[in-house]
Amino acid sequence: MFHSLLLCVSVANACAIIESRNLGASTLTVRTRVAPSPTGDPHVGTAYTALFNYCVARHAGGQFILRIEDTDVARSNPQSQAAILESLRWLGLEWDEGPDVGGPHGPYQQSLRSETYRTYAAQLLEQGHAFRCFCTPERLEQLRSAQQRAGVRPGYDGRCLELSPAEAETLRANSTPFVVRMRVPREGICVVNDLLRGRIEIGWETVDMQVLLKQDGMPTYHLANVVDDRLMEITHVIRGEEWISSAPKHILLYNYFGWPVPALCHLPLLRNPDKSKLSKRRNPTSILYYRRMGYLPEALVNYLGLMAWSMPDGEEKFTLAQMAGKFDLKRISLGGPVFDIKKLTWLNGRWLRENLSDEEFAERVQEWALNRDYLMRIVPLVKSRVSLLSELGPLTAFFLSGDLNLNPKDFDDKKMSRDVICKAFAQVLAGLDELVTWNKEAITAVLKQSADAFQFKLRDFLRPFYVAVAGSTTSTPLFDSMEILGRDLCRVRLRRALELLQTARPATTDAEVD
RNA sequence: GGCGCUAUCGUCUAGGGGUUAGGACGUGAGAUUCUCAAUCUCAAAACCCGGGUUCGAUUCCCGGUAGCGCUACCA
């Protein structure tokens, strides 16, 4: 297996050429990691990266580590963290070390390691590889916009680099807030040796003097990731392509610390059908959504393994263990794969049909939705609305469905035209996306606000939403239902309803126009 | 704008200096089936463009173009 070492630091005639190089054989145990940031729903992109890291580790008989990158205090939250762990475990991507299972290099949660980062930042400061920056966010903002206006590359201008030690001391004595930035060579090139792409050259002049330690004392990704990968003995950093341009910063940090650089490998990014980076606005990205839709973890993880990778024999259906057994980084293709839900669904069908006995199928159905937890959330909503248990079917069908298969006519409404309904859907969709926490209160607030904005009584305004979300105006209460269904499913249903009405434009008024 | 990455059917991909460029999803047609699925058969469908290297490039090199990413006290 590979182990990469930092190579030459040839600073010849003011031309810094720093290069990471992957050296040959090494006896080190392969250790990989996935390092999600707990700032939202568990993302399929996280699972995809985790999968490749998992396979590299398992194939080599090494270890796979889960680390939580929660240094963004404002955006990180424990619910998201819990959901990420649960989702990855659901997919079968078991980790050897992590926040919940522990391990010899813990804690595996960066917010618990601030002291460590501070120590290393202090070391860089002491050695002159980093400096305190007292510039205010306002100044930086002005600087950036001025640079943009002038058509210059935005970046820190190095002002605080010129502070004399005495000046810096005075500012500190006055407890002026500061951040720690890294020093970056101003010329020369950095060579990033990517396992997949080979040699990538990036000029130092394009690398900003990144903040390493934020004003709140938390490290940025760049510092934390390097320090932790070193301390956790990570040998292969396998992450998304989006990180290529910051690789020089990381290589430089390893260099400053005198540490070997792990092997670097940048995976192609999962894409929306329009080829942009996979995003929830255009596609369901939450693993929770796929679980709720009734995809099997085996199928989802299998499909993710079809993204950018293929089995040597071309077989498309395989287990995680089979993939890990045959895994070879070299078989990764570099074009960004479009996440195609149709093919995922086909694959899921195969898993369902070909791999489950009737007993197992029944068990899966129970686990999926006919479980006590889910039922107990629905029962309070339906009990008062039925006089026969058999009325449960139609009343709760939408809780057990994916796509609702609606007809534009279902939305016909005496008080709201199709046009207004479309606008309402669009506005609410945007409002719901903004929500930090998905619960009844927050959902209620969004809908009420929109109803006001459209100058409708809430009950009138809500009618098309009942149809879009529950398939009918005869239904359990909307806000509760939406909370239970979850954000992704609601988003998908509303978006689909919107598309349905938009493409079926000629409603009642101008049917003859074209 | 700057820097970087990428480029085979609509989509996921195999392949690779000489091939009828292979498979899969999806699409269309047919078969089978009490319906519908499933299954089977068949069909349409691709090497981004221009130079170079070469006896020969889709494959190797360069350029262009396009797509994407990054350009934060987010990761």
Side-chain angles (χ1 to χ4, degrees), chain A residues 495-511:
Chain A
R495 203 169 55 203
R496 196 149 294 164
L498 180 57
E499 283 161 11
L500 184 70
L501 291 179
Q502 277 171 340
T503 54
R505 231 325 168 297
T508 40
T509 48
D510 36 22

Side-chain angles (χ1 to χ4, degrees), chain A residues 138 183 185 215 236 257 356 358 375 463-464 474 482 495:
Chain A
E138 293 73 43
R183 228 183 243 270
Q215 210 178 97
H236 295 64
F257 286 122
L356 300 179
D358 290 357
L375 254 20
R463 223 177 293 116
T474 307
M482 287 177 72
R495 203 169 55 203

Side-chain angles (χ1 to χ4, degrees), chain A residues 335-382:
Chain A
V338 172
F339 191 89
D340 179 5
I341 294 181
K342 285 228 178 78
K343 186 155 182 175
L344 166 61
T345 304
W346 162 80
L347 192 59
N348 197 64
R350 281 192 65 185
W351 276 94
L352 236 28
R353 275 177 248 122
E354 298 172 11
N355 287 69
L356 300 179
S357 67
D358 290 357
E359 288 75 13
E360 287 165 337
F361 189 97
E363 279 164 28
R364 292 301 182 106
V365 173
Q366 285 190 348
E367 277 171 40
W368 169 64
L370 301 183
N371 61 69
R372 194 177 172 79
D373 286 350
Y374 194 47
L375 254 20
M376 285 306 288
R377 298 182 73 187
I378 297 172
V379 166
L381 304 181
V382 294

Side-chain angles (χ1 to χ4, degrees), chain A residues 66-260:
Chain A
L66 174 66
R67 181 173 75 219
I68 297 293
E69 308 231 337
D70 57 350
T71 54
D72 186 340
V73 180
R75 293 200 307 147
S76 300
N77 64 284
Q79 300 91 299
S80 170
Q81 177 171 335
I84 289 169
L85 300 213
E86 196 200 332
S87 297
L88 293 179
R89 187 162 275 135
W90 177 69
L91 288 171
L93 299 165
E94 294 286 338
W95 46 97
D96 302 292
E97 298 167 29
D100 53 342
V101 299
H105 306 281
Y108 294 87
Q109 191 175 337
Q110 291 184 329
S111 59
L112 269 24
R113 302 169 63 83
S114 358
E115 273 318 306
T116 308
Y117 308 123
R118 257 193 285 268
T119 308
Y120 283 101
Q123 185 189 326
L124 292 178
L125 239 20
E126 200 177 312
Q127 297 170 337
H129 296 315
F131 61 97
R132 290 190 181 80
C133 172
F134 299 90
C135 294
T136 61
E138 293 73 43
R139 179 177 116 76
L140 295 174
E141 191 40 56
Q142 280 170 12
L143 177 66
R144 228 189 320 274
S145 51
Q147 286 166 328
Q148 256 155 23
R149 258 178 284 122
V152 190
R153 180 184 2 266
Y156 186 63
D157 60 358
R159 181 204 261 206
C160 291
L161 212 44
E162 281 145 32
L163 250 35
S164 70
E167 287 170 317
E169 263 323 302
T170 312
L171 285 162
R172 281 186 76 194
N174 297 338
S175 51
T176 311
F178 65 88
V179 299
V180 175
R181 284 182 188 273
M182 69 189 292
R183 228 183 243 270
V184 175
R186 267 165 261 186
E187 48 186 16
I189 52 162
C190 179
V191 177
V192 180
N193 283 302
D194 184 279
L195 248 27
L196 260 20
R197 298 155 209 268
R199 185 186 170 91
I200 299 170
E201 296 189 1
I202 296 173
W204 283 116
E205 76 283 357
T206 69
V207 180
D208 199 7
M209 293 177 236
Q210 259 292 329
V211 169
L212 297 177
L213 219 50
K214 300 182 258 188
Q215 210 178 97
D216 64 3
M218 281 296 203
T220 55
Y221 171 86
H222 308 286
L223 208 219
N225 136 276
V226 166
V227 167
D228 284 348
D229 283 345
R230 164 66 178 184
L231 263 25
M232 296 180 184
E233 297 173 11
I234 300 302
T235 57
H236 295 64
V237 172
I238 302 160
R239 82 249 273 194
E241 194 175 12
E242 66 218 282
W243 291 107
I244 292 178
S245 34
S246 38
K249 293 168 196 166
H250 308 151
I251 291 170
L252 188 56
L253 284 174
Y254 281 107
N255 196 349
Y256 284 160
F257 286 122
W259 297 336

